[in-house]
Amino acid sequence: MYVSCWSRLCNQQHPDNALNRNETVFSLIIINKAGGLIYQREYQAGLRSLSTNDYLVLAGTFHGVHAITRSITPKLPLAQSSPAVASPGGGNAPPAGFSFPNPGVVASGLEHLETEKFRLTCFQTLTGTKFLLFTDPMTGNVDTIMNKIYELYADYVMKNPFYQLEMPVRCEAFDRHLGAWLRGRT
C-alpha cells in the first residue's frame, strides 16, 4: 500500500491539522520465529475489529511477506578499493563481488508499512520474534515506543520462569505494565 506525500505535506504546512490528530497506539501483535501469533492486544479503537482467526492469518501472512522482503534485499556492487587488477586476458578486472548496502548489518525484511489510516512498524529481535505495532500515521517516536515495549517484554515475559519460549504470552504483569505505560504517554 502506497500513500502519497500529499497528506503529510498538508499536515506540515498547516500545524493545526497535526494537532487535531491523536498520536495513538492502536494494537500490538507479537509473532514467534515460526510465524505463530503469540500475543495480540488492542489499546485504542480506530482499526477495524478482526476475529482471532483473522489475527492468526495476519501473523502467518506477515511472517511470509517479511521473509520474502528480506530475501529480495538488493546487493550492491562492491567498490574497488585498490588499484585495478589486470585480468589474465588483459584489461582491468571488475570488482570482486556484491554486498548488502551495509555489510555489517544483517538484511532485514519489511520494517514499515504506512497508509492514510495507520502505520505498521515491525521490530524483529535477534531470535526472530517480531513485534508489530499499529499506530496513527502521525505518531512520533515510534522507535522509542517499540524499545519500551521490548524492554517490558524482556522484563516481564522473558524473565518469567513459567514462560515457555515460542508459546503464547499469558503474563498479567506484562499486560498491566504495558497498558499503564501506553495510557500514561498519551
Side-chain angles (χ1 to χ4, degrees):
M1 292 182 229
Y2 175 76
V3 174
S4 70
C5 296
W6 180 251
S7 63
R8 198 168 292 286
L9 180 63
C10 290
N11 287 333
Q12 288 174 356
Q13 291 177 348
H14 302 288
D16 293 337
N17 290 348
L19 293 176
N20 293 333
R21 301 280 306 259
N22 289 332
E23 291 193 352
T24 306
V25 172
F26 294 121
S27 182
L28 172 67
I29 295 174
I30 303 176
I31 304 171
N32 66 17
K33 66 182 177 185
L37 179 68
I38 60 173
Y39 184 84
Q40 184 279 319
R41 290 291 181 275
E42 293 178 9
Y43 295 101
Q44 185 76 28
L47 296 180
R48 186 174 301 185
S49 296
L50 298 176
S51 69
T52 303
N53 191 46
D54 290 338
Y55 279 112
L56 292 169
V57 170
L58 175 63
T61 302
F62 184 85
H63 179 73
V65 169
H66 189 271
I68 290 168
T69 58
R70 182 176 178 202
S71 68
I72 63 172
T73 299
K75 292 183 177 181
L76 303 174
L78 289 173
Q80 197 167 5
S81 58
S82 59
V85 177
S87 64
N92 292 335
F98 293 85
S99 176
F100 292 112
N102 186 351
V105 177
V106 178
S108 66
L110 180 65
E111 293 179 352
H112 304 280
L113 176 81
E114 189 169 330
T115 72
E116 291 178 1
K117 305 292 183 193
F118 71 91
R119 177 191 305 141
L120 166 65
T121 305
C122 175
F123 168 69
Q124 181 174 350
T125 67
L126 294 175
T127 60
T129 302
K130 294 174 195 65
F131 291 76
L132 304 181
L133 188 65
F134 292 84
T135 60
D136 183 276
M138 300 307 292
T139 299
N141 298 324
V142 175
D143 291 337
T144 303
I145 297 169
M146 196 66 87
N147 286 339
K148 182 63 175 181
I149 291 170
Y150 184 59
E151 178 184 321
L152 293 170
Y153 175 80
D155 285 345
Y156 294 102
V157 177
M158 298 308 294
K159 293 179 184 177
N160 181 345
F162 301 107
Y163 177 67
Q164 294 179 354
L165 291 176
E166 305 299 316
M167 297 304 292
V169 175
R170 291 186 179 94
C171 182
E172 202 173 300
F174 176 64
D175 286 337
R176 188 174 56 250
H177 283 88
L178 181 57
W181 184 77
L182 287 173
R183 281 189 301 277
R185 66 170 284 284
T186 56

